[in-house]
Each structure stands twice: as structure tokens, then as C-alpha cells.
């Protein structure tokens, strides 16, 4: 059963002894949706061997994951979770005695959520709102499967449930609510479809503008494109906030990496609707790098140096800073806490002499407090708070990361050169216009990638304790 993408909730019957999944048309299942970009032409196969089913990766580029662990082959059991790449389409393997009429696909209502013990059916809360949500889900699933005329049946079912669950004095109110839903159900579905189509069109235009921005070099054209982008982003946000859109579309799963980036930006107070494709691509690159060549550094941070990581997080939290900023140490030094750069930066936070002195550290021959984990973290925290004071919190917080890498003086100099330094005192503007140097353009995505894996080590095959 597909768990993500446009096919979410669809069940596929395994008829043959060998059943293949991949992007090539010759496969038994060709995944769709944005996350299908992670799928190889021939990604994996499921082989029936007697009463057992064996999954084999077909040499895919991004790997195959069973219950969030990368595998070459694995025996499938009932309710096994399968992922095509760490951020690709996700499926659940189900063993059932009755699979219906033998059709290739059977559409299910989208009522499943993930948890660490597998997928279990979402429990419907005992509220009027949840009953409406369940009814809309069922109506949508019936429509997608081509079964028309189901609304009255679904509403009668919801009414029966409501009457059984409710106290006597609420039965009349619930009946009226359900009858109202019968009258307005199809109007709601049509409106949801219209909102979804409009947002899809806006997203397409945003992607086109992002592509044009990446190639533009004329300042006037760049300014016009960014103004156009801001307008479309505002329209898309308004649609996302609408109740019907959240009810009908808001629960659909998006690309995993992009979704995680946006969650981190929300935590930073730097939420944005559209992300430059190059930025997302770099985050993916470093996520893959931390799983591959730089895996020792990631394991050093999450396992070997776990006590140090937890202490850094605790100190940051004590200073009212986001604990996830501890992963900046991973980017700076790979958690080699005694590191020293050719430019003289030293310690876990790679503080330079003047910065360290300015924020209270002793830097003398034989007594360099930049190497002291506790003291250097407190100094780095004070430095970051100072950068926040200079560049602002909220949507400007990404500039703080840029300034930590490049230096606040250079960032100020870059801001002064833009046409409108007040309006364009914004990381995404500077990123899209390539005003920031290449090193900084890569540093920020690298920090985000480290935070993504640090928050979700199990998903990336790293068995690490939970963070504090």
C-alpha cells in the first residue's frame, strides 16, 4: 500500500512471483509524485518464495529501506515499512486473506499514520470535527476510485456513528450537522479541488521564477522576478491557511527533505513558503554526504561524543538558543574538539582569537579556553546572541548562520551593496542573487542537513540515543 504521493492509500496486489518497482515503464509499479525523483529506473523487486516474500534492492542509486534501515535484501513480514531512498516514496507491505476482486489497485481512505512500531490505523477522535473529516476522506477516496453516488451512504454511516458515541442531548445537533454536510459535501469537494488546482498552478509559476532567478544576472530583472515571487508566495500562503484546503489537502505528505527543512526554519522563526531549488539540492547533497563519506563525523557526534553533544545542547538551551545549533560544531570541526584551522580558529566552535577574547575567553599560550567545551560553548552562545542583535531574529535568523561563517563585517558590507538594504536585509534575497560567497552558500545548507539527520538518526540508519 502506498503511504505517500498522489497514490497514498492505494493498494497493489502482488500477482507474480517477481514483482518490480522503479521508474521504468516496464516495472509492475511506477511511483508518481515529487518524491519519485529518488527512485531508480529499476529500484527493487519483491520475490515470492513459497509462503515467504523476499525484498531485493536492484542496485538503486538511493538505496532501499526496510523499517527505516538500508538493506540489500530482507524478508518481508506483515506491516513492514518500505522506503525507496531516505526521502523517496514510502509503502507498507500487507498480508491479507481477502484482497477484493483481484484488481491491480484498490483505493483505501487515507487514514494511516507512521509510528516507530509500524503503521497503524488512525483513531478517529470523538468530536464532530473528526467525524466531518472522516466523511470527507471517504468521499474523496470513493471519488478517486471512480465510485460515484456515495455521499448519502457515507453521511448515513457518519450519523450512525455520531448517535452511538454521543450523549442524548447532542444527538439532534449532530444530526443537523450531518444533514448540512450532505447538502454541502459536494460543494466542499469541488472547492477543495479548485483550491488544489490553483495552488498547483501557483507552485508551477513559483518553480519557473526560481529557475529564471538562478539564471538571471540583470539587477532590474532580478528585482522584478523577486517581486513576482513574493506575490505568488503570498497567494499560496493564503490558500494553505484556508480551512477547506487544510481539511482536504493539508494532510498529504510532501517531499521529506524539503518538509524537514521547513520544519527547521519554523523552529528558527524563519518560515518561508518557497525554497530556492539550489538550496534544497545542497541540503540533499550534504544529507547524502553525512550518510556516506562523512558518516564517521556524524557517528562521532551522535554516538562517540554523545555526552559532549548533549552538554552543548543543554548550554545553548540555558541561554535561550535553539539546542539544534549544536550541530554547527559538527559542520565546523566534525566533533574533533581540539581542532585548529590554518587561519587560527580553534576549539569545537572554531572561534578566532579576537572573537574569543571579545566574548570572555582566556586565549594565552598554555591556557586557551577555546578548547574548553563548556566555556567555548558559552562564548559561542554569547556571540550568536550578538549576531541576532545585529541581524535580527525571526526571518533574518538565517543571516546569523551566514554571519557566523563569513563574519558579521562582511555580511554588513554585502547588505550595504544591495539596492534597498532595508527591504533586502534578507537571507533568501542575498542567496537567490548570489550576493553571498560560495563557501557561505554551502555552509548554511550543510548546517541544515546536519540538523535533519541529528533529529532523525533512525531514518538514516544511525542507531543513536534520543537527544535531550
Amino acid at each position: 500500500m502506498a503511504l505517500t504521493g498522489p497514490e497514498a492509500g492505494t493498494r497493489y496486489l502482488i500477482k507474480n512471483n517477481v514483482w518490480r518497482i522503479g521508474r521504468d515503464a516496464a516495472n509492475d509499479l511506477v511511483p508518481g509524485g515529487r518524491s519519485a525523483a529518488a527512485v531508480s529506473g529499476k529500484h527493487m523487486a519483491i520475490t515470492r518464495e513459497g509462503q515467504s516474500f523476499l525484498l531485493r534492492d536492484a542496485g538503486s542509486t538511493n538505496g532501499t529501506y526496510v523499517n527505516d534501515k538500508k538493506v540489500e535484501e530482507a524478508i518481508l513480514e506483515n506491516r513492514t515499512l518500505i522506503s525507496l531512498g531516505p526521502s523517496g516514496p514510502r509503502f507498507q507491505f500487507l498480508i491479507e486473506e481477502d484482497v477484493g476482486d483481484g484488481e491491480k489497485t484498490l483505493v483505501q481512505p487515507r487514514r494511516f499514520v507512521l509510528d516507530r512500531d509500524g503503521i497503524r490505523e488512525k483513531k478517529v477522535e470523538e468530536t464532530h470535527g473528526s467525524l466531518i473529516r472522516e466523511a470527507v476522506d471517504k468521499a474523496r477516496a470513493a471519488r478517486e476510485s471512480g465510485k460515484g453516488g456515495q455521499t448519502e451512504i457515507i453521511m448515513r454511516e457518519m450519523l450512525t456513528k455520531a448517535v452511538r458515541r454521543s450523549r442524548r442531548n447532542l444527538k439532534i445537533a449532530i444530526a443537523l450537522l450531518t444533514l448540512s454536510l450532505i447538502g454541502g459535501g459536494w460543494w466542499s469537494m469541488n472547492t477543495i479541488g479548485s483550491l488544489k488546482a490553483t495552488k498547483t498552478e501557483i507552485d508551477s509559476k513559483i518553480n519557473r521564477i526560481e529557475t529564471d532567478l538562478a539564471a538571471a544576472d540583470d539587477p532590474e530583472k532580478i528585482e522584478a522576478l523577486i517581486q513576482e515571487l513574493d506575490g505568488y508566495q503570498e497567494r499560496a500562503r493564503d490558500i494553505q491557511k484556508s480551512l477547506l484546503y487544510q481539511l482536504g489537502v493539508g494532510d498529504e505528505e510532501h517531499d521529506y527533505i524539503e518538509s524537514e527543512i521547513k520544519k527547521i526554519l519554523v523552529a528558527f522563526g524563519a518560515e518561508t513558503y518557497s525554497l530556492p531549488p539550489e538550496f534544497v539540492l545542497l541540503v540533499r547533497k550534504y544529507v547524502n554526504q553525512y550518510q556516506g563519506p562523512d558518516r564517521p563525523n556524524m557517528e562521532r557526534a551522535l554516538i562517540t561524543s554523545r555526552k559532549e553533544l548533549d552538554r552543548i545542547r543543554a548550554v545553548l538551551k540555558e541561554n535561550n538558543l535553539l539546542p539544534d545549533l549544536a550541530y554547527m560544531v559538527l559542520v565546523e570541526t566534525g566533533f574533533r574538539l581540539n581542532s585548529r584551522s590554518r587561519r587560527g580558529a580553534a576549539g569545537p566552535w572554531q572561534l578566532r582569537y579576537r572573537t574569543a577574547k571579545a566574548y570572555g575567553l582566556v586565549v594565552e599560550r598554555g591556557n586557551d579556553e577555546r578548547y574548553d567545551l563548556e566555556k567555548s560553548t558559552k562564548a559561542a552562545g554569547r556571540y550568536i546572541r550578538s549576531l541576532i542583535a545585529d541581524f535580527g531574529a525571526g526571518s533574518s535568523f538565517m543571516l546569523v548562520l551566514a554571519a557566523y561563517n563569513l563574519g558579521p563585517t562582511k555580511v554588513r558590507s554585502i547588505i550595504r551593496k544591495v539596492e534597498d538594504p532595508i527591504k533586502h536585509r534578507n537571507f533568501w534575497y542575498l542567496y537567490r542573487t548570489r550576493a553571498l560567497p560560495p563557501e557561505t552558500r554551502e555552509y548554511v545548507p550543510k548546517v541544515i542537513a546536519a540538523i535533519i539527520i541529528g533529529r532523525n538518526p533512525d531514518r538514516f540508519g544511525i542507531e543513536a540515543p534520543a537527544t535531550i
Side-chain angles (χ1 to χ4, degrees), residues 257-327:
I257 295 297
E258 190 168 340
S259 176
E260 288 300 302
I261 294 171
K262 289 186 176 181
K263 286 180 185 177
I264 292 167
L265 294 180
V266 169
F268 285 166
E271 184 176 4
T272 184
Y273 179 80
S274 174
L275 294 165
E278 182 184 352
F279 185 89
V280 178
L281 190 65
L282 284 172
V283 173
R284 291 187 199 281
K285 167 189 168 182
Y286 286 115
V287 165
N288 291 332
Q289 190 166 309
Y290 284 132
Q291 290 180 273
D294 286 349
R295 188 182 182 90
N297 291 339
M298 183 59 70
E299 290 181 337
R300 186 182 299 113
L302 296 178
I303 302 172
T304 310
S305 300
R306 189 66 200 199
K307 289 182 180 179
E308 289 81 359
L309 173 63
D310 285 345
R311 186 56 196 149
I312 292 172
R313 291 175 63 87
V315 171
L316 291 171
K317 190 173 182 180
E318 289 166 6
N319 286 273
N320 296 315
L321 292 169
L322 191 70
D324 282 339
L325 293 176
Y327 295 106

Side-chain angles (χ1 to χ4, degrees), residues 30 131 136 180-181 194-195 255 294 308 315 342 387 399 429 447 454:
V30 180
L131 288 171
V136 172
S180 298
L181 185 56
S194 176
L195 288 171
D255 175 83
D294 286 349
E308 289 81 359
V315 171
R342 284 183 239 176
L387 294 175
L399 278 178
Y429 177 87
V447 172

Side-chain angles (χ1 to χ4, degrees), residues 190-428:
N190 289 334
T191 304
I192 289 169
S194 176
L195 288 171
K196 186 175 181 179
T198 302
K199 185 173 172 297
T200 299
E201 183 182 356
I202 291 173
D203 287 343
S204 177
K205 291 177 179 177
I206 286 174
N207 290 336
R208 186 260 305 166
I209 295 170
E210 293 280 17
T211 301
D212 290 347
L213 273 170
D217 53 12
D218 178 63
E220 290 186 5
K221 183 177 181 180
I222 289 172
E223 180 63 28
L225 286 170
I226 286 180
Q227 287 185 4
E228 189 178 4
L229 178 65
D230 289 343
Y232 281 126
Q233 289 190 114
E234 190 62 35
R235 287 179 60 190
R237 286 192 196 97
D238 289 342
I239 292 174
Q240 276 187 327
K241 291 175 183 176
S242 69
L243 179 62
L244 281 176
Y245 185 87
Q246 292 180 29
L247 179 65
V249 187
D251 60 346
E252 293 183 359
E253 185 170 338
H254 299 287
D255 175 83
Y256 178 77
I257 295 297
E258 190 168 340
S259 176
E260 288 300 302
I261 294 171
K262 289 186 176 181
K263 286 180 185 177
I264 292 167
L265 294 180
V266 169
F268 285 166
E271 184 176 4
T272 184
Y273 179 80
S274 174
L275 294 165
E278 182 184 352
F279 185 89
V280 178
L281 190 65
L282 284 172
V283 173
R284 291 187 199 281
K285 167 189 168 182
Y286 286 115
V287 165
N288 291 332
Q289 190 166 309
Y290 284 132
Q291 290 180 273
D294 286 349
R295 188 182 182 90
N297 291 339
M298 183 59 70
E299 290 181 337
R300 186 182 299 113
L302 296 178
I303 302 172
T304 310
S305 300
R306 189 66 200 199
K307 289 182 180 179
E308 289 81 359
L309 173 63
D310 285 345
R311 186 56 196 149
I312 292 172
R313 291 175 63 87
V315 171
L316 291 171
K317 190 173 182 180
E318 289 166 6
N319 286 273
N320 296 315
L321 292 169
L322 191 70
D324 282 339
L325 293 176
Y327 295 106
M328 291 170 66
V329 173
L330 173 65
V331 176
E332 293 287 344
T333 63
F335 262 78
R336 295 180 179 87
L337 304 182
N338 292 322
S339 295
R340 185 181 184 89
S341 74
R342 284 183 239 176
R343 297 180 178 178
W349 290 90
Q350 289 293 281
L351 296 171
R352 296 192 180 186
Y353 176 85
R354 287 184 179 178
T355 304
K357 293 284 285 182
Y359 291 94
L361 295 183
V362 174
V363 184
E364 298 174 352
R365 186 173 295 180
N367 183 23
D368 192 337
E369 291 182 341
R370 290 179 294 177
Y371 296 106
D372 184 297
L373 182 71
E374 184 94 9
K375 293 179 179 179
S376 66
T377 299
K378 289 180 179 179
R382 289 191 290 270
Y383 180 37
I384 292 171
R385 289 176 67 90
S386 175
L387 294 175
I388 292 172
D390 282 350
F391 297 103
S395 61
S396 299
F397 187 83
M398 299 294 281
L399 278 178
V400 172
L401 294 180
Y404 192 94
N405 171 255
L406 185 60
T409 302
K410 291 182 179 178
V411 172
R412 289 191 203 98
S413 176
I414 289 171
I415 292 172
R416 290 191 191 103
K417 292 177 183 177
V418 301
E419 185 176 344
D420 187 339
I422 296 177
K423 181 179 177 181
H424 298 149
R425 192 170 177 265
N426 178 287
F427 173 81
W428 297 115

